[in-house]
Amino acid sequence: MTLLATVTSAISVVLGLGMLFRECKCVIEYEEDEASLDTPSYLANSFFDMSFLHLLEKAVPEVMCSVVGIIESCMRDRLLQNEEDEDEDEGDSRKSIEKEDENTDGKQGEVLAKVQDVEMEEREQRQEEEEEVVEEEEEEEEEAEMEEVEVKQTEKRLRTQVTLRNSKRAKTEPEVSSSKSKKPVKAKPEI
């Protein structure tokens, strides 16, 4: 069918087919003797009968194929259009990013300088902390050495005091003779 070229024409054809099916149903169900007063008069003279309904049913698959083809082509066109729009948007965003990069080169320099300043301060602070640790260790070592010297001096004083006591005892106490342990030597007669 050449009538179906756009989405709007496809919509019109589908709606028209739906209306024709409805009218066929009404005509087929119509019976003159059971019709109410509000039933339209054209139903009695309508040519929408069973033969027309069969012709209508044969046309539906052809119309469906055309409608599905139109929908697919519209979707494909929209997809391509969206991709083109995205490509244009990406191109525009790249251009704007490049412009922002040009504008922010000075700001990046400032930020880089601040980062370097912060890093330098952190390094200096670490060095100061390390120096403090080294100084504390040196002070602890000096204190340990001083304690060792004091201990040695104390030990030395105690040794000298012990030796002085021993020497004073020796002077004040009489010597115990050890004659008991010695045997008298007998004189040899002279011949």
Side-chain angles (χ1 to χ4, degrees):
M1 293 180 96
T2 57
L3 292 174
L4 300 176
T6 64
V7 174
T8 53
S9 65
I11 291 172
S12 300
V13 169
V14 169
L15 289 175
L17 284 174
M19 291 174 74
L20 288 173
F21 271 109
R22 182 172 175 245
E23 289 298 315
C24 283
K25 180 183 172 197
C26 288
V27 169
I28 292 170
E29 290 177 357
Y30 173 76
E31 293 183 19
E32 252 183 85
D33 54 341
E34 294 179 7
S36 63
L37 296 174
D38 60 343
T39 304
S41 60
Y42 67 87
L43 286 179
N45 300 328
S46 177
F47 61 93
F48 294 150
D49 56 2
M50 288 297 278
S51 60
F52 184 79
L53 183 63
H54 290 298
L55 291 173
L56 196 60
E57 286 175 347
K58 288 180 183 177
V60 168
E62 189 177 324
V63 171
M64 283 283 285
C65 288
S66 298
V67 169
V68 169
I70 290 172
I71 291 172
E72 286 177 350
S73 68
C74 286
M75 289 177 70
R76 186 174 42 250
D77 291 343
R78 283 186 183 170
L79 180 65
L80 292 173
Q81 183 65 34
N82 287 342
E83 287 176 358
E84 289 174 2
D85 291 345
E86 287 176 2
D87 290 343
E88 288 176 10
D89 290 344
E90 286 179 14
D92 292 343
S93 64
R94 285 185 192 141
K95 289 177 185 177
S96 64
I97 289 172
E98 290 173 1
K99 288 179 183 178
E100 287 176 11
D101 287 345
E102 292 172 4
N103 294 336
T104 58
D105 280 342
K107 291 179 183 178
Q108 286 177 347
E110 291 174 16
V111 170
L112 183 61
K114 287 181 182 179
V115 168
Q116 289 174 346
D117 290 342
V118 168
E119 288 175 351
M120 182 67 84
E121 288 175 7
E122 288 176 353
R123 276 190 232 123
E124 290 173 357
Q125 189 175 9
R126 273 189 249 124
Q127 284 179 341
E128 289 174 4
E129 289 173 355
E130 289 174 1
E131 289 173 0
E132 287 175 4
V133 168
V134 168
E135 287 176 6
E136 288 176 4
E137 289 175 354
E138 289 175 355
E139 288 176 3
E140 289 175 1
E141 288 177 8
E142 288 177 9
E143 288 177 8
E145 288 176 8
M146 296 281 282
E147 287 177 7
E148 277 185 50
V149 169
E150 287 178 15
V151 167
K152 287 180 182 178
Q153 288 176 351
T154 306
E155 287 176 354
K156 195 174 188 181
R157 269 189 252 127
L158 288 174
R159 276 191 226 128
T160 55
Q161 287 176 357
V162 168
T163 54
L164 284 176
R165 283 185 196 149
N166 288 340
S167 65
K168 286 182 183 176
R169 280 187 196 151
K171 290 181 183 175
T172 58
E173 294 178 5
E175 274 186 43
V176 177
S177 67
S178 57
S179 60
K180 294 181 183 176
S181 65
K182 288 185 184 178
K183 292 184 180 178
V185 180
K186 295 184 183 177
K188 290 186 181 180
E190 282 186 37
I191 332 186

